[in-house]
């Protein structure tokens, strides 16, 4: 509800679109309904948003991709060995009870559907063991939100500060974000250049992005690591 005479500002469908997970219990019953990534003593369950513009927003791309235009590969590794692979954004993987170091990778090619964020590759790393009893437990995942200097047409502006916010999963012990890295490409990922970032607060970083010339697009690669071993690396072409 908004007070009479007040002014509100909302941002919808901002670039860059990127893959993410969803774990807000308040939104579990609306829209397409995403479940949080969790594990039991023998199963690890993953559901991902293929392309969202903000953490805890859904994209509903699975129901509308009836023609199979999205090319997707979801892979889980444990201690460097592949546990399983699926050609979708959701899967169940059989895992042992013992603690292990996991790497979950989601590669998405949306070039047949969209002219932006055509290829997104994301890897989440985390350490996990079976919860006690027969219950389930959330995975200690990280994700990154992007607030870039864009004009009203979603194009990069010549000046302005980009802000990157690292999100953490609900229901797990919070980690200190120990590092954050940013690289950009102006040739669709053929070459990359490192960009200096400033830490605004724990989990929030700011940077000045290069301005693309006519005909160029900005691609991004971010990395973030937490003090308890969780990490995320995301490349958006």
């Amino acid at each position: 509800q908004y007070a009479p005479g007040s002014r509100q500002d909302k941002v919808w469908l901002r670039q860059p679109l990127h893959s993410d997970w969803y774990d807000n219990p308040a939104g579990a019953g609306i829209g397409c309904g995403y479940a949080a990534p969790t594990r039991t003593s023998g199963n690890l369950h993953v559901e991902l948003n293929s392309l969202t513009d903000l953490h805890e927003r859904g994209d509903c791309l699975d129901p509308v991709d009836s023609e199979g235009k999205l090319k997707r590969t979801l892979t889980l590794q444990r201690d460097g060995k592949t546990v399983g692979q699926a050609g979708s954004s959701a899967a169940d993987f059989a895992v042992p009870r013992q603690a292990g170091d996991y790497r979950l990778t989601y590669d998405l090619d949306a070039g047949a559907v969209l002219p932006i964020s055509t290829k997104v590759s994301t890897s989440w790393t985390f350490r996990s063991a079976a919860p006690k009893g027969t219950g389930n437990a959330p995975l200690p995942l990280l994700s990154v939100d992007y607030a870039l200097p864009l004009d009203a047409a979603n194009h990069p502006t010549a000046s302005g500060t980009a802000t990157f916010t690292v999100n953490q999963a609900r229901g797990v012990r919070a980690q200190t974000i120990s590092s954050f890295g940013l690289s950009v490409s102006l040739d669709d990922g053929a070459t990359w250049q490192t960009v200096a970032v400033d830490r605004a607060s724990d989990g929030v970083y700011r940077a000045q992005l290069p301005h693309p010339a006519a005909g160029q697009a900005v691609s991004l690669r971010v990395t973030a690591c937490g003090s308890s071993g969780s990490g995320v690396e995301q490349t958006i072409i």
Side-chain angles (χ1 to χ4, degrees):
Q1 297 183 2
Y2 303 129
S6 64
R7 180 176 181 137
Q8 310 297 328
D9 181 43
K10 285 185 175 292
V11 177
W12 294 103
L13 202 61
R14 68 181 180 186
Q15 292 193 54
L17 301 178
H18 55 284
S19 304
D20 199 2
W21 43 272
Y22 186 101
D23 71 346
N24 186 350
I30 63 174
C32 299
Y34 293 90
T38 57
R39 67 158 299 167
T40 63
S41 61
N43 183 75
L44 193 148
H45 178 75
V46 178
E47 293 183 27
L48 298 175
N49 285 325
S50 289
L51 289 169
T52 186
D53 70 331
L54 189 65
H55 189 59
E56 296 186 343
R57 286 184 180 173
D59 59 18
C60 299
L61 280 177
D62 278 288
V64 302
D65 188 33
S66 58
E67 299 179 4
K69 291 184 177 180
L70 297 177
K71 299 178 181 178
R72 296 172 285 191
T73 304
L74 180 63
T75 307
L76 180 69
Q77 293 179 310
R78 181 181 184 275
D79 295 334
K81 297 181 179 180
T82 299
V83 174
Q85 191 173 83
S88 67
S89 60
D92 286 281
F93 300 97
V95 293
R97 294 185 55 88
Q98 295 79 10
D101 293 317
Y102 289 87
R103 184 179 186 88
L104 179 68
T105 301
Y106 185 52
D107 294 314
L108 171 70
D109 185 341
V113 180
L114 295 173
I116 57 172
S117 295
T118 52
K119 292 184 178 179
V120 182
S121 179
T122 313
S123 290
W124 294 272
T125 52
F126 57 96
R127 186 163 180 81
S128 177
K132 295 180 179 179
T134 59
N136 58 32
L139 304 180
L141 302 180
L142 305 180
S143 75
V144 179
D145 269 341
Y146 305 79
L148 307 184
L150 305 172
D151 61 21
N154 256 346
H155 296 157
T157 59
S159 62
T161 301
T163 301
F164 305 87
T165 302
V166 182
N167 304 295
Q168 302 191 41
R170 299 169 184 263
V172 297
R173 181 178 298 178
Q175 304 179 47
T176 300
I177 304 305
S178 54
S179 66
F180 184 87
L182 170 66
S183 298
V184 300
S185 173
L186 298 177
D187 52 14
D188 296 334
T191 59
W192 294 88
Q193 54 181 306
T194 302
V195 176
V197 295
D198 295 321
R199 181 180 180 275
S201 60
D202 186 31
V204 180
Y205 299 85
R206 296 192 173 101
Q208 300 293 321
L209 299 182
H211 185 63
Q216 290 181 325
V218 179
S219 299
L220 299 171
R221 176 177 290 159
V222 298
T223 58
C225 295
S227 57
S228 297
S230 295
V232 60
E233 178 179 332
Q234 187 163 68
T235 301
I236 307 170
I237 304 298

